Amino acid sequence: MLIVLLLSAFIVSIFIPFGISLAAQRIELNGAGATFPFPLIDTWRVEYQKIKSEININYQSIGSGGGVKQFSEKVIDFGATDAPLTSSEMEKARGAVHIPETIGSIIISYNIPQVPDKGLKLTGPILAGIYLGEIKKWNDPQIQKLNPDLFLPAQSIIVAHRSDGSGTTYVWTDYLSKVSNEWNAQVGKGKSVQWPTGIGAPGNEGVASTIKSTPYSIGYVELSYALTTKMTYAYLENHEGNFIEPSIDSVRAAVSSSAKSLPKGGQSWELVSTTNAPGKDSYPISSFSYLLLYKELSLSPKIDSIDKAKALVDFVSWAITDGQQFADDLGYVALPNDVVILNQETLSSLTYKGQPVLTTGFETYSGTSVNLVSFVVPAIILLSIAAVVGIIYVRRKNQRSSLEEITKIEAKKELVHNRLSPFLLKNTSIRDKIFRVIVIGAASYTMLLLVIAAISIFSGSAKVFHDEGVIEFIIGTDWNAVEGRESYGALPYVVGTLISSGIAMIIGVPISLGIAIFIVEIAPHRMAIPLLFIIELLAAVPSIIYGLWALFVFRFWVRDFVEVPLHQVFGETIPIFAKTPFGLDIFTAGIVLAIMIIPTVSSISREVIRAVPNTQREAAYSLGATRLEMVKTAIFPYAKSGLFGAAILGLGRAVGETMLVTMIIGNAIGASAIPNSLFSPSQTLASLIANEFNEAVTSLHVSALIGLGVVLFLLTIGINIGARLMVSRIAKVSPRRE
């Protein structure tokens, strides 16, 4: 046994220090931010590790606003953003530098069945008019004049835009603000704006899916994504009056014309913009994407050594030089030489505790070398400990006798029995007191969580309630997140939440009751068991799965087989069916919410109905009641308070649902989110929070989103209090029969 211990200690003493040394060699670089450059940064990660395997790069594509926020809070090593830092953001991230990493562009994609090919000509003022809701038809004279050879239909233009805050939206609105004074005055530029018209979809993939699946739609998508998915796109009029096709070359021409006038990396880049750039071959909607670092890298607590600082700067230096070779194949534009030189000057100015960190070449970092001492010292210590332990073990083993072993075992058994016996005694007062404390503590824990949540959201929303006013915020209809024009109101999203949940209840509750009655009262056992399994399986499906299914499959069924027939039959006589359906609207959201709450409501209703005593059923049948009459006269009166409670639980699930609704409700903003038709886009309290929280940077915007959380919190409490009162009233009016 001693030999085994010594051998094990020797092996451990050799391999553990070796593993620790290898772990010490690895350096983690963590970044977060814009979704646009993610494919390129991920390619850099893979390729750079081929050169320096000890460097591990982790990049989270959470959006430009999220990246700026985490960079300002110094929880990541580097950030990434499609929009340069504003003056207020620079105040929060003092000492930040901009490093252009690549160049991207935005194309205008359309879906006109009569124009299946690319090449529709559009101008900036026309695009602004479309997105302002002023140009409504595809055969508008302004569009037809630019395209005399094309047949443009007299169909309404369906506008698609990003529902989530994004750097892509910033670049797009920056362009519209330059080419249209009206847009600049009414809307402005920002990562999130108050869209005058249109339907919102999350991410490039959401907008692209909306365009491809919705005839007569138009939207903006990043060039790299459009080229990959082979989308149809328009030719845009540039600053010189030429119509330019979006391409790598035309985007490079746009950026090259302004490359020499860029500021230093440590200066303000707030006014830097390459949209509507001069040049006869320049494509008008292009922009840099930036990496963010601190000029003094030790300002970031995560960069805690000179080796990590060198690793970060060397990676960025490689990315802006050798790493640019991967840009074209991924649909990005490589940086011009002037920009590369500017970036190198910025990197050479970076320091760690006052010392320059830019290295030349790819040498091994001094702090990660492995020496003999790291092996020998731990090995000697572990071998000594193992030797002492082995000697003690052998001596104790020889001293033990079989009688002593038996005695000790019996003593241990008696000790265990003595310790456990008090727990087996009943009606012990001290145990009752302990039990009482435990259950009271468990109940208090729930109340404590509620109080903590209430304090957190009320304190976080104090700024918006102070600036906007409590009543004004609740009944307001504006939602403008553009810095300098901020104005927030929650009413449209309260209305959207209540209507979508109401549709879900109207559809879902009767179906749920039918399922519960069928399983308990009608279905044979061999059929009820599989049906129960299916319902429980549906309850376990994550809401994001329902959302994806609805976005890419189900909404087309609803549009083609439900909404379009209703619109054709009742559209001219009933206002709620008047709007042209396209599948991303409050009606579709309500139907999918109904599908999602059915497992919850039906499961609880099933158990409530099953709890009804059989004497109730037998009494009804003995009086000659049919099955329908039995359910109506015996089951419902006895179980209706429980069934009502099941419905309220389903309502709570529908009111608080987030991701599913975000993907299919259309995500309108401001007053346009108050639906005037079942086929109108809308938005809920939860979906707006999900759409904008990552990109919210200003304190008022963050406070407004938390304020929506307060409204949702109070709405949920109000629904539950109302439900409790109604259940109590039902129970008093209709006492259970014995």
Side-chain angles (χ1 to χ4, degrees):
M1 188 65 183
L2 179 60
I3 295 175
V4 173
L5 282 172
L6 292 174
L7 182 60
S8 301
F10 177 75
I11 294 173
V12 169
S13 67
I14 293 298
F15 285 100
I16 285 184
F18 182 69
I20 293 173
S21 298
L22 287 179
Q25 275 190 296
R26 297 196 65 80
I27 294 179
E28 296 276 345
L29 300 178
N30 297 307
T35 58
F36 161 65
F38 174 72
L40 182 59
I41 294 177
D42 196 54
T43 301
W44 287 343
R45 175 187 64 82
V46 174
E47 297 298 327
Y48 193 68
Q49 278 195 318
K50 295 178 181 178
I51 302 171
K52 288 196 170 182
S53 58
E54 71 273 16
I55 307 299
N56 185 43
I57 300 163
N58 176 38
Y59 179 77
Q60 301 295 320
S61 56
I62 60 175
S64 296
V68 170
K69 185 177 181 180
Q70 291 195 13
F71 177 75
S72 302
E73 294 172 350
K74 299 181 176 64
V75 297
I76 52 177
D77 301 320
F78 66 94
T81 175
D82 295 334
L85 297 181
T86 64
S87 55
S88 61
E89 291 169 343
M90 286 292 288
E91 283 293 319
K92 297 177 182 177
R94 290 181 178 273
V97 298
H98 291 77
I99 300 176
E101 57 175 322
T102 190
I103 302 163
S105 180
I106 293 173
I107 62 99
I108 306 305
S109 182
Y110 54 87
N111 181 353
I112 308 175
Q114 293 85 350
V115 186
D117 300 322
K118 65 181 181 181
L120 178 72
K121 294 179 180 179
L122 296 171
T123 66
I126 288 177
L127 288 169
I130 291 173
Y131 271 78
L132 285 169
E134 297 174 352
I135 298 177
K136 301 179 182 295
K137 299 287 186 179
W138 278 111
N139 66 342
D140 185 279
Q142 296 181 68
I143 304 177
Q144 190 68 71
K145 183 179 179 181
L146 295 176
N147 302 273
D149 298 333
L150 298 178
F151 171 74
L152 298 175
Q155 295 287 339
S156 297
I157 300 174
I158 298 175
V159 175
H161 57 75
R162 289 280 288 268
S163 62
D164 53 327
S166 69
T168 305
T169 296
Y170 176 88
V171 176
W172 170 237
T173 54
D174 177 55
Y175 167 71
L176 293 181
S177 297
K178 285 185 177 181
V179 298
S180 170
N181 292 330
E182 188 177 1
W183 178 275
N184 188 43
Q186 292 187 23
V187 183
K189 64 179 179 180
K191 300 183 185 78
S192 298
V193 298
Q194 183 168 279
W195 299 101
T197 188
I199 56 177
N204 279 293
E205 63 280 4
V207 175
S209 173
T210 300
I211 296 170
K212 288 182 175 181
S213 61
T214 309
Y216 308 108
S217 60
I218 188 171
Y220 60 94
V221 182
E222 290 164 356
L223 174 63
S224 58
Y225 190 88
L227 294 178
T228 302
T229 56
K230 298 180 180 179
M231 300 183 70
T232 303
Y233 51 80
Y235 293 5
L236 301 187
E237 184 183 40
N238 69 2
H239 188 272
E240 310 301 331
N242 300 323
F243 287 92
I244 304 299
E245 178 182 1
S247 66
I248 301 297
D249 292 334
S250 62
V251 174
R252 184 180 289 114
V255 175
S256 298
S257 64
S258 58
K260 295 181 182 292
S261 60
L262 296 175
K264 300 293 185 182
Q267 297 176 342
S268 173
W269 284 61
E270 185 174 11
L271 300 179
V272 172
S273 173
T274 59
T275 57
N276 204 33
K280 65 183 182 66
D281 298 321
S282 297
Y283 182 70
I285 316 180
S286 60
S287 177
F288 289 112
S289 185
Y290 306 90
L291 292 178
L292 301 174
L293 301 176
Y294 285 101
K295 187 172 183 179
E296 173 50 59
L297 293 169
S298 63
L299 289 175
S300 176
K302 299 293 183 180
I303 304 177
D304 54 3
S305 68
I306 184 64
D307 289 330
K308 187 168 184 177
K310 286 182 177 181
L312 176 59
V313 175
D314 282 352
F315 164 67
V316 176
S317 178
W318 175 87
I320 63 171
T321 52
D322 295 345
Q324 295 297 305
Q325 63 183 298
F326 305 105
D328 287 0
D329 291 341
L330 296 173
Y332 300 91
V333 179
L335 297 173
N337 289 333
D338 292 335
V339 179
V340 174
I341 293 172
L342 177 66
N343 282 339
Q344 289 175 327
E345 292 174 356
T346 302
L347 291 177
S348 65
S349 69
L350 302 186
T351 59
Y352 181 80
K353 296 183 178 179
Q355 298 298 318
V357 296
L358 184 63
T359 59
T360 57
F362 297 100
E363 72 274 10
T364 303
Y365 305 119
S366 59
T368 59
S369 59
V370 182
N371 52 55
L372 188 60
V373 175
S374 64
F375 289 96
V376 174
V377 173
I380 293 174
I381 293 173
L382 286 175
L383 283 172
S384 301
I385 293 173
V388 172
V389 171
I391 293 171
I392 294 173
Y393 173 79
V394 172
R395 293 181 64 180
R396 289 192 57 157
K397 183 178 179 181
N398 293 335
Q399 291 173 355
R400 291 173 182 167
S401 64
S402 58
L403 181 60
E404 289 174 339
E405 288 292 328
I406 295 172
T407 303
K408 287 182 178 181
I409 290 173
E410 293 296 329
K412 286 181 180 179
K413 287 182 178 179
E414 184 177 356
L415 179 63
V416 171
H417 181 269
N418 292 336
R419 288 182 176 179
L420 290 178
S421 58
F423 293 96
L424 303 177
L425 295 177
K426 297 181 180 180
N427 301 321
T428 305
S429 59
I430 188 66
R431 298 304 175 191
D432 286 342
K433 291 179 180 179
I434 294 174
F435 175 74
R436 183 181 179 85
V437 170
I438 291 174
V439 295
I440 291 176
S444 301
Y445 175 72
T446 304
M447 294 299 298
L448 179 63
L449 287 180
L450 183 64
V451 171
I452 292 174
I455 292 173
S456 300
I457 60 176
F458 277 101
S459 61
S461 60
K463 182 175 178 59
V464 74
F465 288 143
H466 176 269
D467 293 358
E468 299 283 349
V470 176
I471 302 300
E472 289 76 6
F473 177 75
I474 293 175
I475 66 173
T477 58
D478 284 341
W479 191 271
N480 193 345
V482 176
E483 193 170 353
R485 306 183 185 184
E486 290 180 277
S487 177
Y488 301 102
L491 181 61
Y493 317 110
V494 174
V495 174
T497 300
L498 293 177
I499 293 179
S500 61
S501 300
I503 294 172
M505 295 294 288
I506 291 171
I507 297 173
V509 171
I511 295 175
S512 300
L513 290 177
I515 293 173
I517 293 170
F518 176 78
I519 291 176
V520 177
E521 303 295 337
I522 300 174
H525 183 73
R526 63 179 181 276
M527 182 183 296
I529 296 301
L531 188 56
L532 284 173
F533 174 77
I534 293 173
I535 292 172
E536 292 171 357
L537 185 63
L538 288 175
V541 175
S543 62
I544 188 67
I545 303 301
Y546 282 111
L548 290 171
W549 170 69
L551 179 64
F552 293 107
V553 180
F554 185 69
R555 72 181 180 94
F556 303 114
W557 298 350
V558 174
R559 182 192 65 189
D560 296 339
F561 300 116
V562 180
E563 293 183 340
V564 170
L566 287 173
H567 174 70
Q568 291 173 345
V569 176
F570 302 109
E572 296 182 359
T573 56
I574 303 178
I576 62 172
F577 301 122
K579 192 175 182 66
T580 302
F582 48 82
L584 291 174
D585 49 50
I586 197 166
F587 185 62
T588 305
I591 293 175
V592 181
L593 278 175
I595 295 173
M596 199 182 70
I597 69 172
I598 283 173
T600 300
V601 178
S602 63
S603 295
I604 298 173
S605 300
R606 182 186 71 240
E607 296 305 319
V608 170
I609 293 172
R610 185 171 287 164
V612 174
N614 283 330
T615 54
Q616 298 290 319
R617 299 176 176 85
E618 293 168 358
Y621 283 134
S622 67
L623 295 175
T626 64
R627 180 169 284 161
L628 174 61
E629 291 170 336
M630 182 273 296
V631 171
K632 182 179 178 181
T633 59
I635 301 297
F636 280 171
Y638 193 93
K640 64 181 179 181
S641 61
L643 296 176
F644 185 80
I648 293 302
L649 285 175
L651 177 60
R653 176 90 190 267
V655 166
E657 179 53 43
T658 304
M659 292 311 300
L660 180 152
V661 176
T662 301
M663 301 177 77
I664 59 173
I665 200 169
N667 299 297
I669 290 289
S672 61
I674 300 177
N676 55 12
S677 166
L678 284 177
F679 308 146
S680 297
S682 185
Q683 187 141 217
T684 66
L685 293 164
S687 67
L688 183 58
I689 295 171
N691 276 325
E692 296 195 0
F693 204 85
N694 268 347
E695 297 289 342
V697 176
T698 66
S699 58
L700 184 58
H701 191 187
V702 173
S703 181
L705 292 171
I706 298 175
L708 294 181
V710 171
V711 175
L712 181 60
F713 181 75
L714 296 176
L715 181 63
T716 305
I717 290 178
I719 290 173
N720 280 275
I721 291 175
R724 291 291 301 173
L725 293 175
M726 292 187 69
V727 169
S728 299
R729 184 174 180 181
I730 291 171
K732 290 179 181 179
V733 172
S734 302
R736 290 186 176 181
R737 302 176 184 177
E738 299 297 336

